[in-house]
């Protein structure tokens, strides 16, 4: 067979507009056309979408020889920088992947849980009690704080608060849907043209200005840390300063700056969103929440918590898909996809495959335990796959587990309304439509870690 897959015949503009509600739109295309279908979006090459893990694996087989991911992310270069892991391909990408990966895995992050729990606890103490508030904002400030202290390693309190405000502004500006939906060519022009960069209301202008302000502080931090020369530093910046490639070359200041901003952009909103969905789902699933609390209180191993995190990321997939630009034709599901097309494993559809996940709309962490776990795991792609698999997946999963545990230990959460929150597109992520609105009530602290000292002697078991 050499023909193209079926797909919508609507004009590109109409298809692009409908992608503002990606879950419903993509599901309708899959129902109409089957597991492989094509799409045409404004300003982008033609696209082929797949909705099973087997077909996704065929796309991942082209990684490194036959397709590129970075080429599709060129629009991010003006503020992520020319060295970013996210936007590069080939040798420059591979060099950075090897330098960056060890700083985010295994032993490098094994000491992080205590500080993550501490950061979460600090934030939880500021939560209003007994009235509705949006959890998403608090998840963002917790993940921002983690980025500041564990990734950037900023220790000075004044510098922390300065950078916090600037990073928040950058994250807000660069997360705007207007920016994400801007056709790539128009965006590239608006980011570089001296005329366009002076128009204050353009999302590109706001992003570039915020990025310049962050850079000033970051380069100062990098210079200060180089001078300090602390070989024992355990934050990501400290480790990147020590990292050497196969030729023994260190990373330049610009390379380090580009990766720090990349980690901020790729890791902050995504993890905050995963956490918001975790609470949005748990609050509305008393059985799951009950079992999780019980197992936590009994001091069980982390298996159920791990399954809860996976089930959240399956059912409420944070990033709905991540594509590859084909350099060579690809045979995919019996079709011949030409070079120059974009092939996209659509995670939000793959995670709804009812052959792998019976009653896929149900929140059922047990899928990832026991008999069916192997099959469930095989189709579980919230962090993508192939050589471009999310480099922060281990850290993100750790953050989610530690923060969920800390929140459940300290407060009871109830949903402000019984209806589930809709999935709404924000940048490349799908966030809870009302930002995970909850009502929190204090609960007596259970199982305080040995290091924890109650600060109020009159109420030794109450959260400070
Ligand atoms: C729940 C949280 C997260 C989710 C759902 C997520 C998801 C993803 C996905 C889907 C990709 C694309 C993979 C592909 O194209 O196959 C990706 C790439 C990436 N992620 Fe994450 N991510 C999360 C957290 C993080 C964190 C915490 C960091 C860093 C601290 C991070 C850093 C990156 C980077 C640098 C890339 C680009 C990798 C490359 O192209 O080689 N992510 N992530």
């Amino acid at each position: 067979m050499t023909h193209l897959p079926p797909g919508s015949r609507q004009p590109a503009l109409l298809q692009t507009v409908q992608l503002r509600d990606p879950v419903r739109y993509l599901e309708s295309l899959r129902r109409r056309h089957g597991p492989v279908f094509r799409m045409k979006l404004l300003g982008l090459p033609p696209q082929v979408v797949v909705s099973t893990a087997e077909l996704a694996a065929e796309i991942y087989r082209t990684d490194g020889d036959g397709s590129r991911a970075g080429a599709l992310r060129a629009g991010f270069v003006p503020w992520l920088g020319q060295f970013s892991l996210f936007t590069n391909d080939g040798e420059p990408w591979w060099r950075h992947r090897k330098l960056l990966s060890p700083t985010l895995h295994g032993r490098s992050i094994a000491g992080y849980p205590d500080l993550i729990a501490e950061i979460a606890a600090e934030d939880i103490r500021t939560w209003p009690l007994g009235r509705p508030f949006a959890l998403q904002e608090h998840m963002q400030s917790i993940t921002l704080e983690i980025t500041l202290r564990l990734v950037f390693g900023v220790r000075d309190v004044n510098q922390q608060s300065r950078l916090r405000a600037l990073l928040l502004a950058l994250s807000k500006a660069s997360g705007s849907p207007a920016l994400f939906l801007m056709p790539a060519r128009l965006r590239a022009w608006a980011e570089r043209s001296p005329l366009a960069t002076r128009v204050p209301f353009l999302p590109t202008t706001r992003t570039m200005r915020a990025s310049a302000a962050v850079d000033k502080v970051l380069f100062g931090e990098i210079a200060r840390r180089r001078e300090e020369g602390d070989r024992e530093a355990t934050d990501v910046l400290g480790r990147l300063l020590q990292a050497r490639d196969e030729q023994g070359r260190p990373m330049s200041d610009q390379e380090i700056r580009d990766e720090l901003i990349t980690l901020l952009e790729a890791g902050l909103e995504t993890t905050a969103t995963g956490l918001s969905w975790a609470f949005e789902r748990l609050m509305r699933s008393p059985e799951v929440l009950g079992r999780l609390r019980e197992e936590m209180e009994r001091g069980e191993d982390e298996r159920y918590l791990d399954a809860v995190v996976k089930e959240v990321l399956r059912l409420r997939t944070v990033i709905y898909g991540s594509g590859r630009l084909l350099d060579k034709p690809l045979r995919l599901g019996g079709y011949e996809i030409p070079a120059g097309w974009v092939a996209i494993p659509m995670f939000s559809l793959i995670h709804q495959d009812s052959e792998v996940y019976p009653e896929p709309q149900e929140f059922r962490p047990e899928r990832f335990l026991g008999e069916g776990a192997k099959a469930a795991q095989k189709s579980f792609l919230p962090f993508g796959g192939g050589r471009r698999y999310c480099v922060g997946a281990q850290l993100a999963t750790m953050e989610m587990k530690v923060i969920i545990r800390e929140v459940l230990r300290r407060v009871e959460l109830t949903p402000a309304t019984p209806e589930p929150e809709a999935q709404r597109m924000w940048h490349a992520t799908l966030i809870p439509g009302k930002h995970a609105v909850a009502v929190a009530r204090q609960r007596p602290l259970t199982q305080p870690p040995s290091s924890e000292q109650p600060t109020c002697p009159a109420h030794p078991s109450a959260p400070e």
Side-chain angles (χ1 to χ4, degrees):
M1 247 192 256
T2 55
H3 60 97
L4 291 172
S8 169
R9 289 171 191 272
Q10 288 177 333
L13 176 64
L14 219 60
Q15 294 190 45
T16 309
V17 169
Q18 290 180 87
L19 206 63
R20 279 197 62 88
D21 184 355
V23 175
R24 194 170 310 170
Y25 182 52
L26 292 166
E27 188 52 55
S28 75
L29 290 176
R30 177 189 30 198
R31 264 201 311 274
R32 205 170 323 146
H33 303 297
V36 188
F37 57 86
R38 58 174 208 273
M39 280 195 326
K40 182 79 190 83
L41 301 179
L42 219 51
L44 291 173
Q47 319 207 334
V48 57
V49 170
V50 304
S51 61
T52 69
E54 288 72 24
L55 291 163
E58 293 191 19
I59 296 175
Y60 292 137
R61 270 197 274 281
T62 67
D63 273 353
D65 181 26
S67 76
R68 285 167 293 149
L72 288 173
R73 303 164 179 171
F76 296 91
V77 172
W79 77 91
L80 294 188
Q82 57 165 322
F83 296 111
S84 167
L85 183 69
F86 195 68
T87 54
N88 266 302
D89 290 297
E91 197 39 48
W93 166 80
W94 186 224
R95 175 173 181 267
H96 270 227
R97 182 89 190 189
K98 281 189 288 185
L99 288 165
L100 201 58
S101 283
T103 71
L104 293 165
H105 291 137
R107 264 193 290 167
S108 296
I109 60 168
Y112 287 5
D114 283 352
L115 189 52
I116 294 174
E118 206 178 287
I119 290 170
E122 272 170 29
D123 196 275
I124 296 166
R125 280 183 209 115
T126 70
W127 292 8
L129 297 173
R131 64 180 167 81
F133 72 107
L135 278 167
Q136 173 101 12
E137 277 168 32
H138 286 273
M139 295 305 126
Q140 281 162 341
S141 51
I142 293 173
T143 51
L144 176 62
E145 210 57 33
I146 292 170
T147 309
L148 256 181
R149 296 202 226 162
L150 290 174
V151 178
F152 294 8
V154 182
R155 274 168 252 154
D156 178 77
V157 181
N158 293 330
Q159 190 73 323
Q160 275 178 4
S161 68
R162 211 166 143 219
L163 203 50
R164 191 178 297 123
L166 292 173
L167 291 177
L168 213 58
L170 175 61
S171 172
K172 274 212 175 107
S174 63
S176 145
L179 191 70
F180 186 61
L181 289 173
M182 233 168 147
R185 275 199 209 127
L186 176 63
R187 191 161 82 188
W189 173 79
E191 280 159 349
R192 289 190 182 93
S193 147
L195 198 70
T197 47
R198 274 189 226 122
V199 182
F201 58 80
L202 280 178
T204 40
T205 308
R206 281 200 304 272
T207 309
M208 297 309 288
R209 284 185 183 167
S211 167
V214 168
D215 277 6
K216 230 170 133 189
V217 181
L218 265 193
F219 279 121
E221 270 297 302
I222 295 170
R224 190 183 61 73
R225 296 287 299 274
R226 259 197 213 287
E227 221 175 279
E228 258 178 33
D230 180 4
R231 294 180 155 270
E232 305 303 314
T234 54
D235 57 280
V236 176
L237 168 55
R239 292 191 198 276
L240 287 180
L241 286 166
Q242 301 298 327
R244 297 291 179 268
D245 66 13
E246 279 153 2
Q247 278 76 47
R249 287 172 304 177
M251 292 170 91
S252 68
D253 286 3
Q254 186 68 46
E255 286 181 294
I256 292 180
R257 173 268 172 212
D258 290 357
E259 292 310 2
L260 291 180
I261 293 295
T262 297
L263 298 181
L264 168 84
E265 289 287 341
L268 191 139
E269 200 64 43
T270 44
T271 314
T273 300
L275 279 159
S276 305
W277 279 122
F279 296 117
E280 192 278 345
R281 286 295 78 212
L282 282 168
M283 288 189 292
R284 291 173 175 83
S285 316
E287 274 178 34
V288 176
L289 182 59
R291 177 167 173 191
L292 182 57
R293 276 199 190 289
E294 227 173 76
E295 303 211 356
M296 274 170 42
E297 276 159 27
R298 276 208 308 265
E300 299 274 321
D301 59 32
E302 279 194 347
R303 267 183 306 167
Y304 196 65
L305 177 57
D306 193 66
V308 166
V309 168
K310 284 186 175 139
E311 180 65 348
V312 168
L313 294 176
R314 178 198 72 82
L315 184 57
R316 292 292 184 263
T317 306
V318 173
I319 295 187
Y320 53 90
S322 173
R324 303 290 188 263
L325 179 63
L326 298 178
D327 291 326
K328 297 178 185 170
L330 172 68
R331 281 189 76 80
L332 191 63
Y335 300 102
E336 185 83 27
I337 314 300
W341 279 48
V342 177
I344 311 180
M346 201 58 83
F347 315 134
S348 57
L349 292 178
I350 295 168
H351 290 166
Q352 290 294 311
D353 185 343
S354 56
E355 305 229 331
V356 185
Y357 305 108
E359 298 179 274
Q361 283 300 328
E362 296 292 310
F363 180 52
R364 209 180 279 164
E366 287 72 13
R367 299 178 201 279
F368 289 95
L369 298 168
E371 250 179 43
K374 216 166 160 193
Q377 186 65 46
K378 232 173 129 193
S379 291
F380 177 65
L381 299 172
F383 297 108
R387 282 163 48 111
R388 307 299 292 239
Y389 180 76
C390 172
V391 76
Q394 231 182 73
L395 177 60
T397 310
M398 171 196 278
E399 285 182 43
M400 286 185 69
K401 286 201 258 185
V402 173
I403 295 165
I404 290 174
R405 201 186 298 119
E406 206 52 36
V407 169
L408 296 189
R409 231 162 59 79
R410 290 173 181 270
V411 289
E412 298 279 356
L413 291 176
T414 44
T417 54
E419 306 81 43
E421 293 193 21
Q423 290 167 275
R424 190 163 69 77
M425 188 169 137
W426 176 251
H427 196 191
T429 58
L430 290 173
I431 62 170
K434 294 183 177 157
H435 299 184
V437 179
V439 178
R441 286 190 181 76
Q442 269 188 359
R443 76 194 300 270
L445 267 186
T446 50
Q447 298 175 331
S450 51
S451 58
E452 190 164 2
Q453 297 297 325
T455 53
C456 174
H459 304 95
S461 63
E464 319 85 86

